[in-house]
Amino acid sequence: MKMKAEILADSKQINRSGAVSEWFLASWMTAVTVLALLGIYHSTFMSMVVIWWRSQTFAHGFIIFPISLWLIWRERSEIVRLTPRPDYRALALLVLLGFAWLAARLVDVLVIEQFMLVVMIPTLVWLLLGWTVLSRLAFPLGFLLFAVPVGEALVPTLMDLTADITVKLLKITGIPVYREGRFFSIPSGDWSVVEACSGIRYLIASLTLGLLYAYLSYRSMIRRLAFIALAVGFPIIANGLRAYMIVMIGHLSDMKLAVGVDHFIYGWIFFGVIMLIMFWIGSFWREPGRMDAEMPSHSSKISSDRVDGGRFARTAVIAALVAAFWPARAAYIESLVSKTATSVDIELPKAIGSWQTVEAFTDWKPGYVGPDVTIASHYRSGADTVGLYVMYYRYQEQGGELINSQNVLIAPSNRREWKMLEEKLRDVRLFGAPVKVLQGKIHSAHQRLLTWRWNWIAGQYTANDYVGKLLEAKDKLLGVMRDGAALIVFTPYDEDIQSASDVLQRFVDDALPSLELSLNKAAES
């Protein structure tokens, strides 16, 4: 019996050693393939690194990959019990992700490029090691998504929420408030909610830490989801409270405190306290350790299936070839763009029906990046005045693209003089058909302007950036490179927004036919 026990122990040790050696081959093959992927898509990966480096909001990206590797290492004793086996079903997803990356690359949507690259990493794990292994490593690999610098699209909404909370608390305190958009005044001074006050940094940091804490501290999915919800809602409410307290400190100190550098120092100290409170609350339902069902016993069988090294090598080569196809295709399509004709010939009409050109009635101008031509004209009809801007883009490329988050009504250099009260979608008529445009209200100390803006892209009008990018992607994938332009009309207003809207609609009805003729003529030149 003693000899039989020793034989069984030796057999178990051989199985364990065999599994470990086979996993050594599989893991190294997977690591090399992932590194090859990052090399193939080096421009996309480095674009993430650059953003991590220059933006405090996304500086946490530097630690996401190390944390993910650590989380994978924690699972090593469980993973070694599984048999790594290539699963070619993942090839379909890898092809789909590559195609999406190509479309994003052609229309310069960097965040989609980055997302597709990061999602390719767990897809490679699925392809090389199999679905069972991917399922076990779902969270460590999914955590890599936090490396993508995304979230700035939430800034306007968060700014509005911060303004809502601050103004509401001021009114509850009994302080009279006059609010216009994200700007508000109290007896001691004027305040505004700007991008830095949105709380996006707090929200992203809280969500990242909260998700990691929930994974490590809880076994129950309900508790995990509850803490994640807390990690999302808590910093939003706390940021509104922080803004209110800053305003109150400034108000009570006669605008001597919390209006300079101490404003930001106080903000980060406040956030640190909030995080401590959040984790303290979460500790009351903490579940350390793992459930027995999640922890195989020491007597669990370790897989002794042999791993085909040749199959792993073939799968890795196929994965690399599939991944490399899309950057090569992007380079080929981009090479088709002829940039020999660099000049743009476009003219705005001097007279449009009853509208006649006049001298500029405002010093405001939009802040668009990299247009080939910017043309402005101002018109009068009776007592009504309207301005028109056309920003024309011959080529759609990084740094000179029509749809870009940096293309705004108020350039950063003009934000001391001009303020944006609001901008939202509204229905207007273009050639008699209902089309949504962005209606904005901007003002300076001496003037208020109502603006309508939309894009002419792929021969169509739209104010939806997502639709515009899809139209552009469709053209480029088909090898058709068409020009684009941003159109902005504006008129002064007092309190009667509807009257100003009627003026803009009348001008658009009169001007659009000749304006579209000029755009088409410029595109053909």
Side-chain angles (χ1 to χ4, degrees), residues 344-350 375 514-515 518-519 521-522:
V344 176
D345 182 19
I346 183 171
E347 293 182 1
L348 298 180
K350 300 294 184 183
I375 303 175
S514 57
L515 180 57
S518 297
L519 293 173
K521 182 179 178 181

Side-chain angles (χ1 to χ4, degrees), residues 52 55-65 146-149 204-205 208:
W52 300 343
S55 172
Q56 293 183 6
T57 303
F58 303 111
H60 66 278
F62 282 110
I63 65 171
I64 296 300
F65 277 83
F146 283 94
V148 179
I204 291 176
T208 304

Side-chain angles (χ1 to χ4, degrees), residues 35-45 94-106 113-114 116-117 120 318-336 477:
L35 289 175
L37 176 77
L38 297 179
I40 292 169
Y41 292 88
H42 65 277
S43 61
T44 301
F45 181 70
L94 188 62
V95 170
L96 183 62
L97 293 172
F99 180 79
W101 178 91
L102 173 64
R105 179 58 169 252
L106 293 178
E113 285 186 50
Q114 295 164 348
M116 294 306 105
L117 172 59
M120 284 182 194
I318 292 172
L321 290 175
V322 170
F325 171 79
W326 304 106
R329 181 63 179 169
Y332 171 73
I333 293 175
E334 289 168 353
S335 70
L336 297 178
L477 288 170

Side-chain angles (χ1 to χ4, degrees), residues 16 19-20 23 27 69-82 136-137 140 290 302:
R16 183 183 297 274
V20 171
W23 260 106
S27 59
L69 289 173
W70 173 70
L71 292 173
I72 292 172
W73 180 253
R74 288 178 75 248
E75 301 291 336
R76 65 191 183 279
S77 62
E78 312 308 318
I79 293 299
V80 76
R81 300 175 182 275
L82 306 175
R136 186 69 199 188
L137 298 178
R290 300 171 185 253
I302 297 178

Side-chain angles (χ1 to χ4, degrees), residues 447-505:
Q447 190 176 44
R448 297 186 178 195
L449 297 176
L450 184 70
T451 67
W452 288 0
R453 64 168 173 156
W454 67 97
N455 295 324
W456 177 73
I457 188 166
Q460 299 186 40
Y461 296 122
T462 180
N464 188 307
D465 288 348
Y466 300 104
V467 172
K469 284 296 186 182
L470 288 174
L471 292 171
E472 185 186 342
K474 181 193 72 173
D475 276 1
K476 288 191 173 182
L477 288 170
L478 296 174
V480 180
M481 311 296 178
R482 286 194 275 189
D483 300 359
L487 308 175
I488 303 178
V489 294
F490 54 95
T491 189
Y493 78 97
D494 291 323
E495 298 297 332
D496 190 355
I497 296 294
Q498 186 56 49
S499 295
S501 298
D502 293 340
V503 171
L504 291 180
Q505 184 65 71

Side-chain angles (χ1 to χ4, degrees), residues 9 46 50 91 172 181 232 309 347 355 371 400 404 418 422 451 457 462 476 495 513:
M46 289 308 299
V50 168
L91 273 177
I172 292 174
V232 173
E347 293 182 1
W355 299 93
N404 188 314
W418 287 91
E422 68 174 17
T451 67
I457 188 166
T462 180
K476 288 191 173 182
E495 298 297 332

Side-chain angles (χ1 to χ4, degrees), residues 75-236:
E75 301 291 336
R76 65 191 183 279
S77 62
E78 312 308 318
I79 293 299
V80 76
R81 300 175 182 275
L82 306 175
T83 301
R85 184 170 293 144
D87 187 344
Y88 290 108
R89 293 177 300 174
L91 273 177
L93 179 58
L94 188 62
V95 170
L96 183 62
L97 293 172
F99 180 79
W101 178 91
L102 173 64
R105 179 58 169 252
L106 293 178
V107 296
D108 299 302
V109 183
L110 194 56
V111 67
I112 301 298
E113 285 186 50
Q114 295 164 348
F115 261 120
M116 294 306 105
L117 172 59
V118 171
V119 177
M120 284 182 194
I121 295 175
T123 305
L124 286 181
V125 173
W126 178 15
L127 177 61
L128 288 164
L129 303 180
W131 179 258
T132 305
V133 176
L134 177 66
S135 300
R136 186 69 199 188
L137 298 178
F139 183 86
L141 293 172
F143 192 72
L144 290 174
L145 290 174
F146 283 94
V148 179
V150 64
E152 290 186 337
L154 296 173
V155 168
T157 301
L158 293 174
M159 291 167 65
D160 291 336
L161 283 172
T162 302
D164 292 341
I165 295 172
T166 305
V167 170
K168 183 68 175 178
L169 291 175
L170 286 171
K171 289 180 177 179
I172 292 174
T173 307
I175 298 176
V177 185
Y178 172 75
R179 178 182 178 182
E180 198 167 17
R182 296 168 189 152
F183 301 87
F184 55 92
S185 299
I186 59 177
S188 59
D190 299 327
W191 297 83
S192 65
V193 178
V194 297
E195 286 86 346
C197 302
S198 66
I200 186 64
R201 295 179 184 177
Y202 307 147
L203 178 59
I204 291 176
S206 176
L207 180 58
T208 304
L209 293 173
L211 200 65
L212 183 61
Y213 183 87
Y215 174 73
L216 296 174
S217 301
Y218 310 123
R219 301 187 304 267
S220 164
M221 183 57 68
I222 293 178
R223 296 192 184 200
R224 286 175 174 173
L225 293 176
F227 189 80
I228 292 170
L230 179 67
V232 173
F234 208 54
I236 293 175

